[in-house]
Amino acid sequence: MVNLGLSRVDDAVAEKHPGLREYAACQSRAFMKGIGTFVLGSAAVFFLQRALHRRLPCSLQWSLLLSLGAGSVCSYAVTRSETQKCSDLWIYLETGEQPSGRTGGEEISQAAPPAETGTKTTRYGDDME
């Protein structure tokens, strides 16, 4: 049995998926970033509301509700983004190829060969004379 965080994984499964530890570590970081975003985002919105209390008067209950709601939305967005990166890592570790269908900035693109007409191609793919 291989320990993977708090759970144990059978040796056969660990041998079949050599990137399992990296994926589990990535998921753990993603969830910790989400928790940190929730705490810091909720606190930031709460203190911002307290600072603007004269302009936007609301009770403590509404202030807490709004700050926790904003923290939850931010936490969800961060966790979703980081989890997608972990899924892409898992696909790469299992297949050795970049996942298709992603148009984000994380993809590794091949540089275009230089044009032979006397133009220079920048690293962004633009032709310059």
Side-chain angles (χ1 to χ4, degrees):
M1 296 298 248
V2 176
N3 287 331
L4 190 64
L6 296 177
S7 61
R8 292 183 182 205
V9 177
D10 192 29
D11 290 331
V13 173
E15 288 176 15
K16 183 178 177 184
H17 304 287
L20 189 60
R21 287 187 187 271
E22 290 84 3
Y23 175 73
C26 183
Q27 283 293 99
S28 179
R29 281 191 303 273
F31 293 139
M32 291 307 294
K33 283 182 183 180
I35 291 171
T37 301
F38 174 74
V39 170
L40 294 176
S42 297
V45 171
F46 179 77
F47 288 123
L48 182 66
Q49 286 177 339
R50 292 286 100 192
L52 298 174
H53 183 67
R54 289 186 180 156
R55 290 190 180 168
L56 300 170
C58 62
S59 65
L60 179 63
Q61 290 87 2
W62 282 107
S63 186
L64 282 172
L65 180 66
L66 290 174
S67 62
L68 292 176
S72 296
V73 169
C74 292
S75 174
Y76 173 77
V78 168
T79 305
R80 181 176 177 217
S81 171
E82 293 297 318
T83 301
Q84 183 62 49
K85 291 178 187 177
C86 294
S87 296
D88 291 346
L89 173 68
W90 177 255
I91 291 170
Y92 177 73
L93 291 173
E94 287 293 309
T95 63
E97 299 174 0
Q98 292 287 334
S100 60
R102 298 269 300 165
T103 58
E106 294 111 24
E107 286 190 29
I108 301 171
S109 61
Q110 296 290 332
E116 298 176 22
T117 61
T119 61
K120 180 180 177 184
T121 304
T122 65
R123 67 179 184 187
Y124 303 109
D126 298 329
D127 292 331
M128 295 179 60
E129 293 183 24

